[in-house]
Amino acid sequence: MKSAVETLNPTRVRLTVEVPFEELKDSLDAAYKKINQQVTVKGFRKGKIPARVIDQRFGRGAVLEEAVNDALPKFYTEAVNEAELNVLGQPEVDITELKDNETLNFTAEVDIRPTIEIPDYSGIEVEVDAVEIADEDVDKAVEELRERFASTSPVERAAEDGDVVTIDLEAKVEGEVLEDGVASGVSYTIGSGELLEGIDDAVKGLEAGGEATFTSELKGGSAAGKESEVTVKVTQVAKRELPELDDDFAQLASEFDTLDELKADSRKRLETARQFDQATQAQERVLEKLLELVEVPVPEKLLEDEIRTRKHNLEHHQLGQMGLDLAKYLEIQGKTEEEFDAETREQAVKGIKTQFVLDELVNKEKLNVNQEELTEHLMRRAQSSGMSPDQFAQAVVEGGQVPMLVGEVARGKALAVVVEAATVKDTNGEVVDLEDEEDSVEGEQAAADESAEAEATEDKPQA
């Protein structure tokens, strides 16, 4: 076999392959054997029909077609390996010449990973938000905790903002009660915005036994997105009572003995959360700066596949679970379809470029992934997908996605190398030490999130 490579553009090549006919012998033998098992010829036992009889009865062309279809993947793979190409997706194959007992010639056009030069990235500088915790932030956190420990007691008066009402609901569309539009004994806090639009105005001023009707667009269920006439009946009105902010509350709501200790712990938790946000912000901004430094051509077919995958996942997984279609989603977001398409394309381009650049960094820095790192990453991915670690691991193994996870971890480590070399300052001009955050498992995930969806040709476990 002889092969040659022609570069069509930085991300696509054409392979020209010439195969001497004798190298098709194994595939021809396999073709005759396969046809033998599929056909019946009078006077011959099944599987024992001579090749000349098959040629006479069914035509030599049918045998050649079967043999070529069997042989092409092998010869294509040999040509790719010989040229040391890093191919993406499936090739477009064209048989240019097939002469019986002489030769097989074909071409294969395929996308390849572009050659990327990683420049010196040590000069990257980014600015992130400073970690500042005001007393008001601590008070708000403690107040939210206090809200969780609120108690209720029934009252004999009209419902007011902040009250907890027990209600029965009945929804009609075009005069018909929906099968899934009836609910009883629903607990609702007035002003929380957790149910239907318009319900607050409907129930305020009602006492137990009171009833009102209002119109609202349904958020979910069989008639999601439709206007509905909703009847609400209040069966109980209860007043929410917050515990006093004192040492007794601290002992009730935490492991601390005093309110001051509880506030100190709240401040520490807020600082930890802000530091994580700061580290994530640094990673995102360093990545953006890195991508600006590198020229990365994007294969058009890979890009179109990635855009299609992102749209499919949004429409059939995320929006489907929320009872929305794309049109309704765009209406809620206040975007046109053209704006949505442009944003999706921009995100897809960034995802592919991120993967290419970080993969090149993995090779350049000779980064490896050990079993412990892979296990930790798998645990995090399982948690974010809503699956148990065992279920997620099984889905990954059965889907042949272990290399995908290894790639995600490696790309996370590559980004950490760049962040470590960069200068990160906060808005106060102070240099930020991100060493602890870079070692955190979340930091590694940030890079994976940017590039995981760029694997357009690979399937992933679905949450």
Side-chain angles (χ1 to χ4, degrees):
M1 185 195 80
K2 294 192 301 181
S3 64
V5 181
E6 177 188 357
T7 300
L8 303 178
N9 61 51
T11 63
R12 194 166 180 83
V13 297
R14 179 188 292 123
L15 287 164
T16 301
V17 183
E18 298 179 9
V19 182
F21 204 83
E22 56 267 21
E23 294 187 30
L24 284 173
K25 183 179 182 307
D26 290 343
S27 293
L28 279 168
D29 291 344
Y32 279 116
K33 185 175 181 181
K34 182 176 180 179
I35 294 173
N36 242 307
Q37 299 300 320
Q38 295 174 337
V39 301
T40 301
V41 175
K42 188 176 181 179
F44 297 94
R45 286 183 296 164
K46 195 173 186 65
K48 300 295 184 180
I49 307 170
R52 58 178 175 78
V53 175
I54 290 177
D55 288 346
Q56 291 169 355
R57 290 292 185 92
F58 305 102
R60 174 72 166 176
V63 179
L64 288 175
E65 182 179 356
E66 181 68 38
V68 169
N69 288 338
D70 175 74
L72 276 179
K74 180 185 70 171
F75 293 125
Y76 165 73
T77 301
E78 287 180 8
V80 166
N81 293 337
E82 185 178 282
E84 298 181 342
L85 298 175
N86 197 339
V87 300
L88 300 167
Q90 297 300 313
E92 295 179 4
V93 177
D94 181 28
I95 298 174
T96 56
E97 186 176 23
L98 175 58
K99 290 184 178 180
D100 196 2
N101 291 315
E102 290 186 29
T103 186
L104 163 66
N105 297 335
F106 68 91
T107 62
E109 288 190 16
V110 67
D111 287 333
I112 60 171
R113 279 180 178 261
T115 300
I116 298 173
E117 293 294 331
I118 303 295
D120 180 14
Y121 47 78
S122 61
I124 290 178
E125 294 186 10
V126 297
E127 184 180 77
V128 295
D129 295 336
V131 174
E132 296 174 337
I133 309 299
D135 291 342
E136 291 79 5
D137 297 327
V138 177
D139 292 341
K140 181 180 177 182
V142 173
E143 188 64 26
E144 289 174 353
L145 180 63
R146 187 184 178 205
E147 291 278 349
R148 287 162 50 190
F149 283 85
S151 60
T152 59
S153 57
V155 292
E156 294 184 4
R157 60 165 172 76
E160 302 173 354
D161 269 326
D163 285 343
V164 178
V165 290
T166 304
I167 55 178
D168 297 336
L169 294 166
E170 181 184 82
K172 294 181 180 179
V173 173
E174 297 178 353
E176 296 292 328
V177 178
L178 300 172
E179 289 186 10
D180 55 353
V182 179
S184 300
V186 177
S187 180
Y188 175 67
T189 301
I190 299 176
S192 66
E194 294 174 351
L195 281 178
L196 297 169
E197 185 176 346
I199 193 170
D200 289 339
D201 291 336
V203 298
K204 277 192 294 187
L206 295 181
E207 298 183 15
E211 187 175 297
T213 299
F214 63 101
T215 301
S216 183
E217 183 179 300
L218 299 178
K219 295 181 179 179
S222 61
K226 293 185 177 180
E227 287 292 321
S228 172
E229 183 183 86
V230 182
T231 299
V232 56
K233 181 179 180 180
V234 176
T235 59
Q236 178 181 277
V237 179
K239 180 181 179 181
R240 296 179 76 251
E241 297 177 344
L242 298 174
E244 291 292 328
L245 274 178
D246 53 22
D247 292 346
D248 289 339
F249 168 68
Q251 294 167 21
L252 170 69
S254 70
E255 70 271 28
F256 302 106
D257 294 326
T258 69
L259 183 60
D260 287 342
E261 290 174 330
L262 173 59
K263 287 185 175 182
D265 180 69
S266 296
R267 182 179 294 276
K268 183 177 179 181
R269 290 175 182 272
L270 287 171
E271 287 177 349
T272 300
R274 299 277 176 88
Q275 286 168 352
F276 167 67
D277 291 341
Q278 188 184 63
T280 301
Q281 194 177 68
Q283 290 164 342
E284 292 172 350
R285 293 182 179 179
V286 167
L287 177 60
E288 289 173 0
K289 291 281 189 179
L290 177 64
L291 293 180
E292 290 174 5
L293 293 176
V294 187
E295 185 68 31
V296 186
V298 175
E300 191 61 32
K301 186 176 184 303
L302 180 66
L303 175 58
E304 295 306 320
D305 287 344
E306 173 65 5
I307 291 172
R308 194 178 305 110
T309 297
R310 286 174 181 257
K311 285 185 175 180
H312 177 85
N313 289 340
L314 175 66
E315 292 188 62
H316 298 280
H317 296 295
Q318 301 171 38
L319 297 184
Q321 293 174 357
M322 295 187 289
L324 298 175
D325 59 17
L326 183 59
K328 188 62 181 177
Y329 169 76
L330 293 179
E331 180 184 333
I332 294 171
Q333 294 290 315
K335 296 177 183 176
T336 65
E337 189 169 348
E338 290 73 20
E339 289 171 336
F340 168 75
D341 288 342
E343 287 182 8
T344 303
R345 186 177 187 86
E346 182 180 346
Q347 293 163 0
V349 168
K350 183 180 179 183
I352 293 171
K353 286 185 175 181
T354 296
Q355 180 185 325
F356 285 172
V357 170
L358 294 183
D359 283 347
E360 186 62 31
L361 267 168
V362 169
N363 295 330
K364 180 179 179 180
E365 301 293 343
K366 296 181 173 56
L367 301 175
N368 296 311
V369 176
N370 60 42
Q371 185 61 48
E372 182 180 357
E373 292 168 333
L374 182 60
T375 300
E376 289 176 354
H377 184 65
L378 185 147
M379 298 282 282
R380 289 193 302 278
R381 286 291 302 270
Q383 185 177 16
S384 64
S385 72
M387 302 168 69
S388 72
D390 287 344
Q391 289 175 325
F392 189 82
Q394 183 178 357
V396 167
V397 172
E398 290 179 353
Q401 302 304 308
V402 173
M404 179 196 74
L405 288 189
V406 172
E408 291 177 3
V409 178
R411 286 190 282 274
K413 295 179 72 171
L415 179 56
V417 169
V418 183
V419 173
E420 184 178 357
T423 299
V424 181
K425 293 183 179 180
D426 65 21
T427 49
N428 293 328
E430 299 292 329
V431 174
V432 179
D433 183 3
L434 294 171
E435 182 177 355
D436 292 338
E437 287 80 359
E438 287 170 16
D439 290 339
S440 72
V441 295
E442 294 89 354
E444 184 180 291
Q445 182 64 39
D449 289 342
E450 285 288 351
S451 59
E453 290 189 18
E455 309 266 0
T457 58
E458 295 180 334
D459 295 324
K460 304 171 180 60
Q462 292 293 335

